[in-house]
Amino acid sequence: MADEKSLDMEETSEASEEIEKTEEQVEETAAAEETVQKSANIKQQGDNEPHWYVVHTYSGYEEKVKKDILKTIENRRLQDQMFEVMVPLQDVTEVRKGVKKTVSKKIFPGYVLVHMIKNDVTWYVVRNTRGVTGFVGPGSEPVPLTDAEMIRLGVRNADIEIDVEVGDAIKVIAGAWEGTVGNIKTISKTKQSVTIDIDIFGRSTDVEISLGDIQKL
């Protein structure tokens, strides 16, 4: 009888463990579905004007964060909303064993700058990049840099001057679309970009390219 009771207790314990595992799996599945749903329901809301924002990262993750954000921009075709990612650097002269050497060092370790149009999509991309702890601003609400702050950080703020008009043929010389040739459909001085028509998988698609990444043919 003792053996039967012991066996029953073991079976009951195993059954309880299986139930707990099942409940955990259900909770994990529900959490995953909720995350996917939130991502799917993201709306593009914002002021539609590009600004520079400061992003805080774990120390040593600056370049990785930059690389991952740029990769996401390329994969999700967000070139018309996210324009540049940079880690502020400065050249410093060091003397080692009597030899002078110029090296680049981070001006503000733990920070990355992102030039983008702030909306739910771009916020989500940056905030969910591995190594990012949040935007710099009250309550982690992104606050754009002022002109004075950008100058101190060495961020380019001058307009790019290029002699192109709607209809001109251009070649993309940098970025995700490097080597692509197309005709200009629209020009945006605010965003410092042009729109060209590109054939993607047999479909005509408008793509926005920075003025600094094109060359007139």
Side-chain angles (χ1 to χ4, degrees), residues 165-185:
E165 298 178 355
V166 172
D168 286 348
I170 60 97
K171 179 179 180 180
V172 183
I173 58 175
W177 299 101
E178 184 176 358
T180 302
V181 174
N183 293 90
I184 297 176
K185 295 185 67 177

Side-chain angles (χ1 to χ4, degrees), residues 79-206:
Q79 291 90 344
D80 62 336
Q81 300 175 60
M82 305 181 75
F83 310 103
E84 191 172 357
V85 184
M86 67 177 291
V87 178
L89 301 172
Q90 63 179 350
D91 290 334
V92 178
T93 300
E94 296 181 343
V95 179
R96 294 184 180 179
K97 296 181 179 181
V99 179
K100 288 185 178 182
K101 185 178 181 180
T102 301
V103 296
S104 293
K105 288 193 173 182
K106 301 180 185 71
I107 298 177
F108 298 109
Y111 294 94
V112 172
L113 305 183
V114 182
H115 189 214
M116 69 181 196
I117 296 173
K118 186 186 75 173
N119 55 43
D120 289 346
V121 173
T122 56
W123 181 93
Y124 184 87
V125 166
V126 174
R127 192 65 184 83
N128 286 275
T129 298
R130 186 180 179 185
V132 170
T133 62
F135 282 92
V136 174
S140 291
E141 175 64 23
V143 175
L145 290 170
T146 64
D147 291 342
E149 289 170 334
M150 288 191 291
I151 292 173
R152 286 200 299 271
L153 292 172
V155 179
R156 301 191 308 272
N157 195 35
D159 288 343
I160 300 172
E161 296 293 337
I162 183 169
D163 182 23
V164 293
E165 298 178 355
V166 172
D168 286 348
I170 60 97
K171 179 179 180 180
V172 183
I173 58 175
W177 299 101
E178 184 176 358
T180 302
V181 174
N183 293 90
I184 297 176
K185 295 185 67 177
T186 63
I187 299 176
S188 173
K189 290 188 177 181
T190 301
K191 297 180 181 180
Q192 289 283 279
S193 65
V194 299
T195 300
I196 63 174
D197 188 49
I198 294 178
D199 187 351
I200 302 177
F201 303 121
R203 297 184 60 183
S204 179
T205 305
D206 287 348

Side-chain angles (χ1 to χ4, degrees), residues 57-65 106 109-110:
T57 74
Y58 291 119
S59 180
Y61 273 70
E62 301 89 352
E63 289 296 338
K64 178 171 175 51
V65 165
K106 301 180 185 71

Side-chain angles (χ1 to χ4, degrees), residues 25-39 124:
Q25 291 175 351
V26 170
E27 290 177 357
E28 290 176 357
T29 300
E33 290 178 349
E34 183 179 358
T35 300
V36 172
Q37 186 62 37
K38 285 181 178 179
S39 178
Y124 184 87

